[in-house]
Amino acid sequence: IRRYVPRPVLQQIDADGDIFIREHRKCTTLFIRILGVPHSTAQDLPGLHKSVRCVQKHMYSYDGATLCRFNVDDKGCCMFAVFGLPPFEHHAHPIRGVMAAMDLIENLHTDGNSSTGVRYAIGITYGHVFAGTVGGAQRAEYTLHGSAVNMAARLMVKSQEGIFCDEQVYVHTRDSISYSDSISITVKGSLEPLNVYRPLA
């Protein structure tokens, strides 16, 4: 059962047996929408599984990734990934997050997904979050909450396809990664327009 438990929770269990974690920390948050994959019937599961495995491969190729969730909801098929959680804490995790997202998109052809019409829309943010276990002794979930998490989901939706990074990601990675000029957008929950950036291959 350990393979189904998030690594931050495993670390806590191995340390003192307590499943409940409550902390505030700075993380790089990615929301990834898988586009072009049917997901309404059981026959669609093999194709969806292949796309999810591709996301896992490219996220985990950069040390520090934690895949927290896979959802099918009104936004479609979405995955929630985080860089900067224990036990893999790196000072350069914003760079790792952007590079993992770029690799995912750039390897569509080698992953064998391009011919099936699979595409990705990704929102990436960097900021303070609450990371911890919510629920009770019988059923609990490790998750993240905070404005940076909400904004990553909104940037994913706004990007439509490709990658949108927020200002903080841009500031912390611009010396290592090239970006487009800033793009001004409006999103739910923000009164002022936001500057976002697309990383360039």
Side-chain angles (χ1 to χ4, degrees):
I1 196 173
R2 290 176 65 89
R3 69 176 59 188
Y4 300 105
V5 179
R7 288 181 286 186
V9 179
L10 280 179
Q11 183 188 45
Q12 179 81 1
I13 292 172
D14 291 341
D16 60 18
D18 186 6
I19 67 168
F20 291 102
I21 305 170
R22 307 166 193 85
E23 59 181 347
H24 288 87
R25 58 172 55 241
K26 276 195 169 182
C27 292
T28 303
T29 303
L30 297 83
F31 266 88
I32 304 160
R33 176 190 274 175
I34 304 172
L35 302 164
V37 179
H39 54 271
S40 57
T41 70
Q43 287 71 35
D44 298 328
L45 290 177
L48 184 57
H49 177 72
K50 180 180 179 180
S51 297
V52 170
R53 290 288 293 155
C54 288
V55 174
Q56 291 174 319
K57 178 179 76 171
H58 292 292
M59 292 296 115
Y60 285 137
S61 69
Y62 288 85
D63 191 31
T66 300
L67 285 168
C68 295
R69 190 180 307 143
F70 170 75
N71 284 342
V72 178
D73 56 20
D74 61 322
K75 298 182 180 66
C77 301
C78 301
M79 298 183 72
F80 175 30
V82 183
F83 285 79
L85 294 174
F88 306 105
E89 303 170 61
H90 300 280
H91 71 280
H93 59 75
I95 295 175
R96 293 169 185 267
V98 177
M99 293 297 294
M102 293 173 68
D103 281 359
L104 177 61
I105 289 176
E106 290 170 8
N107 285 281
L108 274 173
H109 292 279
T110 56
D111 288 337
N113 273 326
S114 61
S115 61
T116 62
V118 176
R119 305 171 323 278
Y120 300 100
I122 305 173
I124 310 177
T125 60
Y126 174 68
H128 285 283
V129 301
F130 167 82
T133 314
V134 296
Q138 296 299 314
R139 184 181 186 279
E141 176 187 22
Y142 182 79
T143 190
L144 279 73
H145 293 288
S147 59
V149 178
N150 298 337
M151 187 57 66
R154 289 165 185 160
L155 295 187
M156 173 193 71
V157 173
K158 280 288 187 177
S159 74
Q160 298 184 341
E161 186 176 341
I163 305 168
F164 268 176
C165 299
D166 76 349
E167 187 84 35
Q168 285 300 308
V169 171
Y170 169 73
V171 167
H172 284 84
T173 62
R174 61 188 173 188
D175 291 338
S176 302
I177 297 171
S178 298
Y179 285 90
S180 67
D181 292 336
S182 64
I183 303 167
S184 181
I185 65 170
T186 57
V187 297
K188 178 183 175 182
S190 177
L191 298 177
E192 300 294 331
L194 301 176
N195 288 331
V196 296
Y197 303 83
R198 289 195 185 274
L200 303 175

